[in-house]
Amino acid sequence: MNILLIEDNWVIAQQVTEFLSAHNWHIDYADNAKLGIQLACENIFDVILLDLNLLDMDGLEVCATIKSQAQVIPPILMLTARDSFADKAAGFKQGADDYLTKPYDLRELALRCQALARRSDLHQSTHITVGKLELVLSTKSALIDGQECALTSIGFSILTLLAKTYPEPIPRSLIIHKIWADSPPESDALKSHIYALRKALEIHPSAPKLKTVMNVGYRLEC
């Protein structure tokens, strides 16, 4: 899983990061609200762990901002010492998907992350449409004007990531992480797969164009 932790208490952040990293999950860390919102809106995360008691912005506002601006809306697990019903109700009203009060057992935190990620996958649409392109996730097939576009398994996975973030670009580093996790190939395999994907799309005149965004990554353009 790809997880974003927004927590300004360094001791807690270190404990959470070390524990969740031991599950072979990738953890990005932000020690303030501004950086957390930036990371959430520029990347794709399976789960966001959000401390409500941030110094530079109230966590409820951070939650609402991420839910309204993120490329792909992630499930948010709020971490806080606020344990009243009113506090929890306010959190869910702002878009929280789950709520865990401090102090918490790190094992329970990991289980909740897994549950949220699974729930998010179940709620995703089985079809993604970008212009004349339709991706059928259940069969891993790509259709352009109803005609099948021949893609490799990795090509389909890359195209799915591009379609999910359309029309925004997706960073090269995030594609590499999503495709190869923490074991990226030594050679520039992504460049080769992007070239093959671009050629496969160019066969179909009405297909979205795969564009390179300098110093960022790639995006689809209709």
Side-chain angles (χ1 to χ4, degrees):
M1 282 195 293
N2 198 33
I3 296 174
L4 172 61
L5 171 63
I6 307 174
E7 167 67 72
D8 57 10
N9 184 313
W10 169 242
V11 175
I12 294 176
Q14 188 174 31
Q15 291 173 344
V16 171
T17 299
E18 289 179 356
F19 186 83
L20 297 184
S21 295
H23 290 68
N24 292 321
W25 298 343
H26 178 79
I27 315 298
D28 281 347
Y29 170 58
D31 63 358
N32 62 80
K34 182 178 180 180
L35 177 59
I37 292 172
Q38 179 183 343
L39 290 174
C41 293
E42 293 179 352
N43 300 279
I44 300 174
F45 294 99
D46 298 297
V47 179
I48 292 180
L49 306 178
L50 172 61
D51 175 30
L52 285 189
N53 300 314
L54 300 170
L55 294 177
D56 57 332
M57 185 185 299
D58 186 84
L60 295 178
E61 184 180 352
V62 176
C63 179
T65 301
I66 291 174
K67 288 289 186 174
S68 65
Q69 297 182 8
Q71 296 177 22
V72 177
I73 300 175
I76 295 180
L77 170 56
M78 288 188 170
L79 308 173
T80 179
R82 307 177 196 173
D83 59 358
S84 71
F85 176 80
D87 290 325
K88 293 179 181 180
F92 286 121
K93 185 176 180 179
Q94 292 300 323
D97 297 274
D98 200 357
Y99 204 105
L100 192 58
T101 55
K102 299 177 180 179
Y104 47 79
D105 189 320
L106 290 172
R107 295 171 298 179
E108 181 179 358
L109 176 63
L111 290 174
R112 286 177 183 257
C113 287
Q114 290 175 316
L116 283 173
R118 285 197 302 268
R119 187 191 309 169
S120 179
D121 288 340
L122 289 172
H123 290 172
Q124 285 186 3
S125 172
T126 58
H127 291 69
I128 302 176
T129 301
V130 176
K132 298 294 185 178
L133 168 68
E134 180 185 8
L135 297 178
V136 185
L137 303 186
S138 58
T139 59
K140 293 189 176 181
S141 56
L143 305 174
I144 300 170
D145 267 340
Q147 182 180 0
E148 188 162 1
C149 178
L151 299 175
T152 63
S153 176
I154 289 181
F156 181 84
S157 296
I158 294 173
L159 186 56
T160 300
L161 291 172
L162 290 164
K164 285 182 176 180
T165 59
Y166 172 83
E168 300 299 326
I170 182 169
R172 284 172 47 87
S173 58
L174 184 54
I175 296 176
I176 291 171
H177 173 72
K178 285 290 187 180
I179 301 300
W180 291 285
D182 294 322
S183 302
E186 294 182 3
S187 61
D188 192 359
L190 177 59
K191 186 176 181 180
S192 298
H193 286 291
I194 288 291
Y195 176 82
L197 176 57
R198 183 177 281 124
K199 289 299 181 183
L201 292 174
E202 288 176 350
I203 294 174
H204 306 269
S206 58
K209 303 297 186 293
L210 202 173
K211 297 292 185 178
T212 300
V213 181
M214 195 66 66
N215 299 322
V216 178
Y218 306 95
R219 68 181 176 88
L220 292 178
E221 181 179 285
C222 291

